[in-house]
């Protein structure tokens, strides 16, 4: 045991000696501090963006910048994303023949979308009005989703989303997905515009509710839209669909993959719960309400009634 301890001590001394040599070498060579290293890395990445013709290298540098808070680096990236030659260095014309998720620009937009810094938000907002960037459908569709986390929603983003919701536009479902992810009042009002537009087929509206609304069905602003739609009751079939989405849930509604998960009814916000109870009263008064829907509404009402008694 004593011999083992001696060996361990010798090993520790060797490691410390090596570390000392490394630190001395760093001092002699004048290698910059951590902060200096970050600045040099930003500078290197900015140089790569401006000069490299290697798509992988350009993408790596752009991804690193996209996740940071450097105003200078993000400003350069935002400028270059509006330049056709840079976009061509990032993804070739042939690359755009493949699905959007395979493009380098997709990863960059996703990283920018997940970066909460004002500088990253500024890049995305600027792209919503950049004609060069928006000249490719794949970039438009990925930008729709990348802007979903920007709250409050700035006017350029709202205008951008609104411009993509024509019934003939294939990007409409992506807009709906972004609106539910955003979940702000303006976003839900835009969804209300879409879901009450008779130009959209009922099958599209049902798909939106089943796919995107279910995980957000207890959000206050969605429930406010639901109240107005159910009150209007212009389309009985869709009225029943709204009631079903809010008060019922069955996995059999979906194929056995990618089944949305509704929120925990016990975790609903108090204000949203009050709105839900108001909708329940309206729903129960709907003419010819199917028995199964009546039971679903009463079940949720009973749940909150029981909680109140406790």
């Amino acid at each position: 045991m004593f011999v083992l301890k001696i060996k361990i001590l010798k090993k520790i001394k060797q490691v410390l000696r090596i570390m000392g040599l490394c630190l001395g070498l760093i001092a002699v060579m004048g290698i910059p501090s951590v902060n200096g290293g970050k600045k040099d890395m930003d500078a290197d990445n900015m140089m790569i963006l401006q000069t490299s013709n290697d798509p992988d290298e350009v993408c790596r540098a752009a991804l690193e910048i996209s996740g940071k808070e450097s105003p200078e680096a993000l400003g350069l990236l935002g400028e270059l994303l509006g330049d056709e030659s840079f976009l061509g260095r990032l993804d070739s014309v042939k690359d755009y023949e493949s699905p959007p998720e395979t493009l380098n620009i997709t990863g960059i937009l996703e990283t920018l979308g997940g970066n909460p810094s004002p500088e990253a938000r500024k890049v995305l907002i600027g792209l919503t009005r950049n004609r060069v960037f928006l000249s490719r459908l794949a970039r438009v569709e990925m930008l729709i989703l990348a802007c979903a986390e920007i709250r409050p929603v700035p006017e350029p983003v709202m205008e951008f989303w609104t411009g993509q919701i024509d019934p003939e536009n294939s990007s409409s479902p992506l807009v709906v997905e972004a609106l539910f992810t955003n979940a702000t009042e303006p976003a839900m009002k835009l969804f209300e515009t879409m879901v009450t537009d008779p130009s959209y087929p009922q099958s599209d509206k049902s798909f939106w509710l089943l796919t995107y609304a279910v995980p957000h069905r207890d959000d206050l602003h969605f429930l406010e839209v639901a109240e107005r739609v159910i009150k209007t009751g212009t389309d009985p079939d869709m009225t029943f669909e709204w009631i079903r989405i809010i008060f019922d849930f069955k996995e059999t509604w979906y194929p056995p993959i990618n089944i949305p998960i509704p929120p925990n009814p016990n975790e609903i916000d108090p204000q949203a719960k009050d709105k839900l109870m108001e909708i329940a009263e309206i729903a129960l008064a709907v003419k010819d309400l199917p028995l199964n829907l009546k039971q679903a509404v009463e079940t949720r009402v009973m749940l909150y009634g029981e909680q109140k008694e406790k």
Side-chain angles (χ1 to χ4, degrees):
M1 181 66 72
F2 181 79
V3 174
L4 179 61
K5 288 182 178 179
I6 293 294
K7 289 183 177 179
I8 292 172
L9 287 172
K10 286 183 177 179
K11 191 69 175 177
I12 292 173
K13 287 180 180 179
Q14 289 176 351
V15 172
L16 290 173
R17 192 181 305 116
I18 292 170
M19 290 176 64
L21 289 171
C22 290
L23 290 171
L25 182 62
I26 288 172
V28 170
M29 295 178 65
I31 295 175
S33 64
V34 173
N35 288 335
K38 286 181 179 178
K39 289 180 181 179
D40 284 350
M41 188 176 293
D42 285 345
D44 289 345
N45 286 329
M46 290 167 70
M47 180 63 68
I48 289 170
L49 292 188
Q50 292 171 304
T51 62
S52 177
N53 289 316
D54 182 342
D56 292 336
E57 188 177 38
V58 174
C59 181
R60 178 193 57 76
L63 284 171
E64 288 186 9
I65 290 174
S66 298
K68 293 185 177 181
E69 299 180 7
S70 169
E72 185 180 2
L74 284 166
L76 174 64
L77 178 61
E79 181 181 335
L80 290 173
L81 287 173
D83 180 82
E84 193 62 61
S85 62
F86 173 78
L87 292 168
R89 285 191 285 126
L90 193 61
D91 294 294
S92 68
V93 173
K94 187 172 179 58
D95 289 334
Y96 279 97
E97 296 174 3
S98 301
E101 57 267 22
T102 65
L103 297 171
N104 287 329
I105 189 62
T106 297
I108 294 166
L109 290 174
E110 288 176 346
T111 306
L112 285 169
N115 185 344
S117 72
E119 292 81 8
R121 298 293 192 241
K122 185 178 179 181
V123 173
L124 291 174
I125 293 168
L127 292 177
T128 64
R129 290 181 168 178
N130 189 297
R131 291 185 179 181
V132 172
F133 185 86
L134 300 176
S135 63
R136 287 275 184 182
L137 177 61
R139 296 198 290 256
V140 171
E141 293 190 336
M142 294 304 100
L143 183 59
I144 288 171
L145 298 175
C147 291
E149 298 290 349
I150 302 179
R151 302 180 188 89
V153 188
E155 183 180 342
V157 172
M158 190 57 67
E159 290 178 355
F160 170 59
W161 282 339
T162 303
Q164 310 302 319
I165 63 170
D166 186 276
E168 301 299 321
N169 194 325
S170 62
S171 303
S172 292
L174 293 175
V175 176
V176 175
E177 181 179 352
L179 295 177
F180 273 99
T181 300
N182 188 262
T184 61
E185 186 175 16
M188 286 296 94
K189 284 187 175 180
L190 181 55
F191 173 68
E192 183 176 4
T193 298
M194 297 177 70
V195 83
T196 55
D197 185 343
S199 302
Y200 289 100
Q202 184 172 321
S203 58
D204 284 1
K205 297 174 184 179
S206 295
F207 174 79
W208 299 337
L209 291 172
L210 284 166
T211 306
Y212 305 118
V214 165
H216 299 274
R217 69 181 190 177
D218 287 352
D219 291 357
L220 175 61
H221 298 309
F222 170 70
L223 290 172
E224 289 171 341
V225 172
E227 180 182 37
R228 291 192 289 269
V229 173
I230 294 171
K231 268 184 177 180
T232 304
T234 52
D235 184 338
D237 290 336
M238 282 308 300
T239 298
F240 296 155
E241 188 75 7
W242 277 81
I243 295 171
R244 182 177 295 106
I245 290 300
I246 296 169
F247 293 98
D248 199 5
F249 175 77
K250 290 182 174 61
E251 291 188 358
T252 53
W253 295 347
Y254 306 91
I257 55 170
N258 300 325
I259 299 175
I261 300 174
N264 185 336
N266 295 313
E267 296 177 358
I268 188 171
D269 177 82
Q271 195 174 355
K273 185 197 293 185
D274 291 341
K275 180 59 63 179
L276 183 76
M277 297 297 275
E278 293 173 13
I279 295 173
E281 289 186 27
I282 298 168
L284 291 172
V286 169
K287 184 180 179 182
D288 299 325
L289 184 68
L291 179 60
N292 64 329
L293 289 186
K294 181 176 182 292
Q295 292 172 338
V297 174
E298 290 174 341
T299 298
R300 283 206 77 176
V301 170
M302 191 180 303
L303 169 66
Y304 298 129
E306 290 172 354
Q307 290 178 350
K308 195 172 182 180
E309 290 175 3
K310 294 178 183 179

